[in-house]
Amino acid sequence: MRKYSLFAVAALFLAAFVAHAQRFQRPAPAWAHAAWMNQSLSAGERADLVLKQMTLDEKIGMIHGEGMAGWGQPNAFAYLGNGGAGFTLGVDRLGIPIIQMSDAAYGVRSSAMNGRYSTALPSNLGASSSWDTDAACEYGALIGRELRAQGYNMTLGGGVNITREPRNGRTFEYQGEDPILAGTLVGNRIRCEQAQHVIGDIKHYAVNDQESGRNEVNAIISKRALQETDLMAFHIGIEIGNPQAVMCSYNAINGDFACENKYTLTDVLRKQWGFKGFVLSDWGGTHSTEKASAAGLDNEEPGQVFYGEAYKQAVESGKIPMSELDEHVRRILRAEFAAGLVDHPVHKSVVDVFGDLAIARHIEEQSIVLLRNEHHQLPLNASAVKTIAVIGDHADSGMLSGGGSAQVDPPGHHQARWGEHVWFPTSPLKAIQAMAPNAQVSFDAGSDPQAAATLAAKADVALVFVNQWTSEGMDLNDLTLANNQDGLVEAVAKANPHTVVVVESGTVVTMPWVDQVSGIVEAWYAGSDGAAALANVLFGKVNPSAKLTVTFPLSVADLPHPTLVKPPAHSEGAAPVQRHVLTSPTFSVNYDEGIEVGYKWYDAQKKPVLFPFGYGLSYTTYSYSGLKVTPGAKPTVSFTVKNTGSRAGVEIAEVYAALPPSANEPPKRLVGWSRVTLNPGESKQVTVSIDPMYLSIFDEASNVFKLVPGSYGFMVGGSSQSLPLHKSVTLE
Ligand code: BGC
């Protein structure tokens, strides 16, 4: 026996040695010692060296995608794909990898298709409510790691279209209505995502602010409003995150499609901001060869209608100079070096399921906004509460997620179909029961409001779960909860004075019952471990600290455009691959509210709202005092925040500025914030320094941002409508 096992051990050693030696002897690829593999050179220098070696066909191969499953174009290279939304060829003989792209808004998409697992984080809008740059970083790093584990080296996440139109079906993929906050958060997400050696992406550039008719709509907006709102978010995101890719959007901006718009792609992105990465089109968002190329589009996705054979012919016939093609290729190569794709090749691996669930839960805990809490209804006391009625669609089994290309597949689920409502298997009922093991927790799906009310009447507290499903490719007609959920809340609230509503929504909702319930908790799309996070907040294990990054209006009648502008009827249902045949947009949305986006609109128009931007309650209370403003090249604002309650908490302290009247701006804008952690009774002095650009306006005549000399009012407090501290200073 002993002899045999010794023999087996010896054989194993021998096998391992042979395998090792073989690996050792495998000839190094020719490029391994090529000049561009020298890591001490800059990404640009390395790109130049590679470019010199490339043939015309290799160059053309890099400026377009190789198709996407189901997209329509036959493709000889399909076998090289990784199941993502698209890929672009590398140059194997030169050591340049294929760029494998996956959607990854709140987690890696289509994991069911590639047989792998992805964590769903809370929706981007949800997570933005944390106002936390560290959480944004964790969010990005998690996605970057999971992308690589699944064989991808480029993300298509990083959406930052500001919430100009809250009915936009993709609002959940973005970071709210304020450009400075949104840009800062997306920038931190991208910074940490790209640090995982995947190409980072920011999208959809720009003014893709509604989904209705997105392939053919012309967004009309003044240059100043464009610069101070939608573009500002991108600018800040690019400065902080340094993404190597920008995805141009489907829509047109002031007449030219975004993927052939010289103003946004070259004048602003490259010249004004100095962006060095590459621009890829949204899927089917390319409309031309020469015009797009000259305007600054580097890469057509997902196919090669304009940037394949047609591009090659344009170069060969001299319509497009070789130098222009070289510039596109150079940017793509440079991005690959800069993001580390060449030096850190991807190897598939296993996702850290439990570690990443914990991150998703922690981020959701910071994202849940407590909107109403009459008579300290919350937190629930786990040892005192005897009966809890849990009511609402799926509240026993799962929590909702957002649809479209952002969709993440739950574990063990099939690949989600377009339009399918996907619930993650994180059960609020079970999480609540686990938190209150001695309470009797009962469930009713809420389809019959009277039956639900009967159950609620017998309970100490009723928790009603309402939901709003949203998705790419559609907008909401209004902000009313579907399927008579308002009626359900009203019936339950009538039966039980201790009713708490939990909202799972992609964007804002109207709440005709707001005064009839004792508590409201906005949980957004809560991610893979949302129920545990929610239970921690409901029972006070976590003190909520999140604040709204979108204004909840009282009614759609109060929006800048009470009626959504829809495309002409002909185009509805057109196959996506047909998008490119349009040479010009077919209808317009005139964004004449201009700079007045979100709270700036309600402030300027003096319209009351349901819940203002920056609002969110806590289980403790805070006071503000001692405002000091120090002018200078970078003005600073200092003040003291005190926890005046009996629980530890985190207060998001917000700083707004009112510009001098001659600036002609809305009444105020957010210019800074700080998350302050405070024990009961504790005070902290906080200093926020203000980037002068955040105090500037865009001057159309001179085409630059400038500070208007005069008196600036600084306001500090816990929400855009609760700003106890004021001070004016003169800035030169
Ligand atoms: C979406 C993009 C997405 C792409 C690839 C498009 O329809 O607008 O956000 O990245 O598809 O799936």
Side-chain angles (χ1 to χ4, degrees):
M1 194 60 202
R2 214 182 119 88
K3 212 162 84 188
Y4 283 116
S5 50
L6 268 178
F7 181 73
V9 171
L12 268 177
F13 266 111
L14 188 68
F17 176 77
V18 170
H20 184 72
Q22 277 173 348
R23 214 168 61 202
F24 217 67
Q25 280 163 15
R26 193 184 297 156
W31 46 263
H33 302 290
W36 58 87
M37 296 308 289
N38 177 354
Q39 295 187 20
S40 66
L41 298 178
S42 72
E45 288 166 332
R46 297 174 75 180
D48 282 334
L49 289 166
V50 175
L51 186 62
K52 284 198 193 115
Q53 307 291 324
M54 286 174 72
T55 65
L56 176 60
D57 284 335
E58 284 168 342
K59 291 176 186 174
I60 298 290
M62 277 201 115
I63 61 166
H64 63 77
E66 290 295 339
M68 175 190 191
W71 193 265
Q73 278 189 320
N75 168 24
F77 293 115
Y79 70 97
L80 292 172
N82 190 49
F87 66 103
T88 281
L89 292 182
V91 189
D92 201 29
R93 69 177 182 94
L94 303 177
I96 303 303
I98 296 175
I99 304 180
Q100 297 284 0
M101 309 170 183
S102 176
D103 282 301
Y106 60 87
V108 183
R109 182 195 184 191
S110 291
S111 47
M113 185 162 151
N114 63 32
R116 300 222 155 211
Y117 169 90
S118 303
T119 306
L121 287 152
S123 68
N124 301 85
L125 180 69
S128 74
S129 318
S130 72
W131 300 48
D132 187 353
T133 52
D134 293 339
C137 173
E138 277 191 277
Y139 196 108
L142 181 152
I143 292 178
R145 288 195 304 271
E146 293 200 2
L147 278 164
R148 284 179 64 91
Q150 301 192 33
Y152 296 106
N153 54 13
M154 175 165 174
T155 174
L156 300 173
V160 74
N161 298 85
I162 59 170
T163 309
R164 184 180 282 282
E165 168 49 78
R167 287 162 297 193
N168 178 354
R170 301 188 87 168
T171 302
F172 76 91
E173 291 186 54
Y174 304 139
Q175 310 268 353
E177 67 194 26
D178 183 82
I180 295 174
L181 181 59
T184 303
L185 293 174
V186 87
N188 280 283
R189 173 234 163 104
I190 293 168
R191 181 172 63 79
C192 298
E193 190 173 16
Q194 200 169 258
Q196 302 300 318
H197 307 305
V198 296
I199 293 177
D201 166 53
I202 193 165
K203 72 183 186 185
H204 306 87
Y205 186 68
V207 210
N208 185 181
D209 294 346
Q210 69 171 47
E211 286 295 282
S212 305
R214 63 178 178 169
N215 298 304
E216 54 190 299
V217 64
N218 181 26
I220 299 178
I221 182 165
S222 78
K223 214 177 235 188
R224 171 170 173 189
L226 184 60
Q227 287 271 357
E228 291 186 21
T229 60
D230 297 57
L231 295 189
M232 170 83 87
F234 280 92
H235 186 191
I236 296 170
I238 289 171
E239 288 245 326
I240 296 174
N242 188 26
Q244 293 303 320
V246 168
M247 185 191 291
C248 50
S249 55
Y250 286 129
N251 56 290
I253 308 156
N254 294 329
D256 288 318
F257 280 113
C259 291
E260 54 184 38
N261 192 307
K262 179 178 166 292
Y263 178 67
T264 49
L265 297 185
T266 295
D267 300 351
V268 176
L269 183 64
R270 306 242 174 233
K271 296 192 178 150
Q272 191 183 325
W273 301 344
F275 175 70
K276 295 214 162 44
F278 73 97
V279 175
L280 76 164
S281 75
D282 199 344
W283 268 227
T286 310
H287 295 263
S288 61
T289 303
E290 286 158 58
K291 181 177 177 186
S293 176
L297 176 70
D298 301 303
N299 178 280
E300 174 189 3
E301 290 298 330
Q304 44 179 308
V305 183
F306 298 104
Y307 271 41
E309 199 46 39
Y311 201 107
K312 187 178 171 187
Q313 277 171 22
V315 173
E316 283 170 339
S317 66
K319 285 189 186 140
I320 294 180
M322 182 65 86
S323 57
E324 194 173 299
L325 169 61
D326 281 352
E327 189 52 37
H328 296 312
V329 177
R330 189 182 175 280
R331 288 168 183 162
I332 297 165
L333 287 168
R334 192 193 159 282
E336 292 203 59
F337 283 111
L341 268 56
V342 179
D343 302 333
H344 305 272
V346 159
H347 301 291
K348 285 192 186 181
S349 62
V350 176
V351 166
D352 174 6
V353 177
F354 292 104
D356 288 356
L357 267 182
I359 293 174
R361 181 175 64 245
H362 176 63
I363 293 178
E364 173 66 1
E365 287 166 355
Q366 288 178 258
S367 307
I368 293 173
V369 188
L370 179 61
L371 293 173
R372 184 173 167 88
N373 195 18
E374 292 302 286
H375 315 296
H376 305 285
Q377 176 65 63
L378 294 174
L380 301 174
N381 182 339
S383 50
V385 64
K386 292 199 173 55
T387 47
I388 304 175
V390 173
I391 294 164
D393 189 11
H394 280 81
D396 58 334
S397 59
M399 296 189 84
L400 193 56
S401 60
S405 63
Q407 183 71 61
V408 174
D409 297 323
H413 192 270
H414 56 262
Q415 194 200 347
R417 289 179 300 275
W418 199 264
E420 184 178 354
H421 296 206
V422 177
W423 298 80
F424 271 75
T426 170
S427 158
L429 183 71
K430 284 189 193 151
I432 289 160
Q433 182 73 79
M435 201 61 81
N438 299 322
Q440 194 203 331
V441 184
S442 48
F443 169 71
D444 184 289
S447 41
D448 172 2
Q450 278 326 311
T454 307
L455 183 77
K458 290 185 280 197
D460 293 343
V461 55
L463 303 175
V464 190
F465 286 72
V466 296
N467 66 78
Q468 173 207 54
W469 184 76
T470 59
S471 169
E472 174 183 343
M474 52 160 267
D475 294 321
L476 297 169
N477 280 323
D478 57 44
L479 300 170
T480 307
L481 291 167
N483 304 329
N484 190 32
Q485 294 179 88
D486 286 337
L488 172 67
V489 174
E490 278 160 11
V492 172
K494 228 180 235 155
N496 189 324
H498 306 288
T499 293
V500 175
V501 179
V502 177
V503 186
E504 296 173 60
S505 71
T507 178
V508 305
V509 299
T510 49
M511 302 180 182
W513 33 260
V514 61
D515 297 324
Q516 299 161 37
V517 299
S518 51
I520 305 174
V521 169
E522 174 58 81
W524 314 107
Y525 298 147
S528 289
D529 208 17
L534 175 68
N536 283 342
V537 168
L538 291 174
F539 287 89
K541 281 204 164 172
V542 168
N543 187 359
S545 57
K547 306 239 172 128
L548 296 178
T549 61
V550 276
T551 305
F552 278 52
L554 283 165
S555 135
V556 289
D558 294 331
L559 298 177
H561 305 274
T563 310
L564 201 68
V565 187
K566 294 262 183 143
H570 73 263
S571 65
E572 291 288 5
V577 79
Q578 294 302 314
R579 289 166 187 164
H580 62 269
V581 302
L582 290 174
T583 50
S584 54
T586 64
F587 76 109
S588 296
V589 180
N590 189 356
Y591 289 123
D592 50 9
E593 73 285 354
I595 308 171
E596 293 176 7
V597 176
Y599 62 93
K600 294 169 187 162
W601 165 260
Y602 300 96
D603 277 1
Q605 305 292 323
K606 300 196 170 58
K607 283 179 191 282
V609 300
L610 177 61
F611 296 113
F613 174 85
Y615 169 85
L617 301 171
S618 157
Y619 296 147
T620 187
T621 46
Y622 304 96
S623 71
Y624 286 79
S625 63
L627 176 61
K628 263 206 307 260
V629 182
T630 315
K634 203 165 191 191
T636 59
V637 175
S638 332
F639 51 92
T640 299
V641 190
K642 181 172 186 194
N643 182 341
T644 49
S646 54
R647 274 171 189 265
V650 177
E651 168 71 337
I652 301 171
E654 305 166 29
V655 181
Y656 294 82
L659 272 55
S662 64
N664 218 346
E665 285 282 309
K668 65 174 179 289
R669 55 163 83 159
L670 179 78
V671 292
W673 66 93
S674 179
R675 300 179 83 254
V676 196
T677 305
L678 293 165
N679 284 319
E682 192 186 4
S683 306
K684 272 187 192 155
Q685 217 212 3
V686 178
T687 300
V688 178
S689 53
I690 316 288
D691 187 321
M693 189 177 81
Y694 301 172
L695 298 169
S696 305
I697 65 165
F698 186 78
D699 181 44
E700 290 193 356
S702 53
N703 223 18
V704 289
F705 274 88
K706 67 172 195 198
L707 208 65
V708 178
S711 170
Y712 285 71
F714 287 90
M715 294 155 271
V716 177
S719 113
S720 68
Q721 288 191 10
S722 167
L723 297 166
L725 309 181
H726 293 238
K727 181 149 267 159
S728 293
V729 296
T730 300
L731 298 180
E732 302 305 333

